[in-house]
Amino acid sequence: MEMKLYGYWRSSASYRVRIALNLKEIDYEYIPVHLVKDGGEQHSNEYKLLNPAELVPTLVDSDNESDIILNQSLAIIEYLDERFPETNKLIPDHKLDRARVRAVAYDLACDAQPIQNLRVLQYLEQHFNADQNAKTAWAKHWIEQAFASVERRIQNSAADFCFGFNVSMADVVLVPQYYNAQRFGVDMSHYPLIKRVVDNCNKLEAFVQAAPEAQPDAQ
């Protein structure tokens, strides 16, 4: 088996998958795709063969002389959880617990992060003349809305992590969004449960190794 992850050091979606791979204790080759250099390497013809959406991440799982190519970070995380069920299960078995974990993950990965990622901010600049202050205010607004929702959502479930004492997909998605929140100047004192959960996650080696600054393309 050979696992390859195409990603970008500061991409939230790539960050999520790195965390999941580390938690599942899967060895993989990391292949950087620079989202800015030369107009963005994700737009190259070579990369579009792997990911027609021209986004990161892309996971390539080579097994039995065939390649499984997957895009979309949450789909990749669920695939890894089912492919390697014996280590650090990220999706609960019970249907209600499963739905609650997914709800928090979707709050962040579907409703918040996509509208403050690089391509959206670039579009705001190019087509609506948004300067850096405007782009920061835009991103900050959507992150704060999402965090207010998540803070309420985990009020009765959070312990060390979003749902009790085991790491789930909700935590895997939360930590990269918290990283973005810090970049855009969100006041985290308004979200004490989120801050506690993230602090606990970032004590784990799987999260430390997945951090953006620890990646080879961060330089």
Side-chain angles (χ1 to χ4, degrees):
M1 183 196 73
E2 182 180 357
M3 199 81 73
K4 294 179 181 179
L5 177 66
Y6 292 79
Y8 181 61
W9 69 282
R10 207 163 64 179
S11 155
S12 300
S14 300
Y15 191 176
R16 296 170 199 146
V17 177
R18 293 196 301 264
I19 294 169
L21 285 162
N22 293 344
L23 286 168
K24 304 299 283 185
E25 300 177 4
I26 302 167
D27 291 329
Y28 67 97
E29 178 185 359
Y30 177 66
I31 302 173
V33 178
H34 203 292
L35 300 186
V36 179
K37 185 171 65 177
D38 299 327
E41 294 176 347
Q42 71 275 23
H43 304 306
S44 69
N45 290 332
E46 180 183 8
Y47 186 72
K48 280 191 283 189
L49 293 174
L50 293 173
N51 191 335
E54 301 174 37
L55 296 169
V56 291
T58 296
L59 183 81
V60 179
D61 184 0
S62 300
D63 194 17
N64 297 324
E65 300 182 355
S66 64
D67 286 345
I68 297 170
I69 301 173
L70 297 173
N71 311 126
Q72 287 293 348
S73 61
L74 298 190
I76 292 170
I77 291 168
E78 294 216 27
Y79 168 79
L80 293 172
D81 205 44
E82 293 176 10
R83 174 124 157 67
F84 303 94
E86 66 281 353
T87 307
N88 292 325
K89 194 163 180 60
L90 301 175
I91 311 293
D93 291 325
H94 191 279
K95 61 184 178 183
L96 181 56
D97 294 335
R98 230 176 12 248
R100 286 172 173 159
V101 165
R102 285 176 172 145
V104 169
Y106 295 171
D107 275 343
L108 300 170
C110 301
D111 292 342
Q113 186 268 331
I115 54 176
Q116 41 87 29
N117 71 2
L118 178 63
R119 67 175 180 169
V120 170
L121 297 180
Q122 287 176 335
Y123 193 85
L124 289 172
E125 179 180 0
Q126 294 164 4
H127 297 276
F128 295 94
N129 300 316
D131 61 13
Q132 187 58 52
N133 288 336
K135 291 188 293 182
T136 297
W138 167 276
K140 188 168 177 281
H141 169 77
W142 295 115
I143 295 171
E144 288 172 345
Q145 281 210 345
F147 274 9
S149 170
V150 170
E151 184 79 8
R152 291 192 298 270
R153 207 183 284 281
I154 65 174
Q155 193 167 24
N156 296 320
S157 64
D160 286 350
F161 306 107
C162 285
F163 293 92
F165 296 96
N166 295 313
V167 175
S168 71
M169 184 170 68
D171 307 292
V172 171
V173 176
L174 178 61
V175 167
Q177 190 57 67
Y178 184 93
Y179 177 87
N180 278 353
Q182 290 182 305
R183 284 179 55 216
F184 291 114
V186 173
D187 182 357
M188 293 307 303
S189 67
H190 298 303
Y191 317 106
L193 287 178
I194 289 175
K195 185 178 186 308
R196 185 181 78 199
V197 167
V198 170
D199 286 345
N200 287 330
C201 288
N202 282 331
K203 294 174 185 175
L204 303 178
E205 191 62 25
F207 286 83
V208 173
Q209 291 178 1
E213 287 77 13
Q215 307 316 304
D217 55 330
Q219 305 304 319

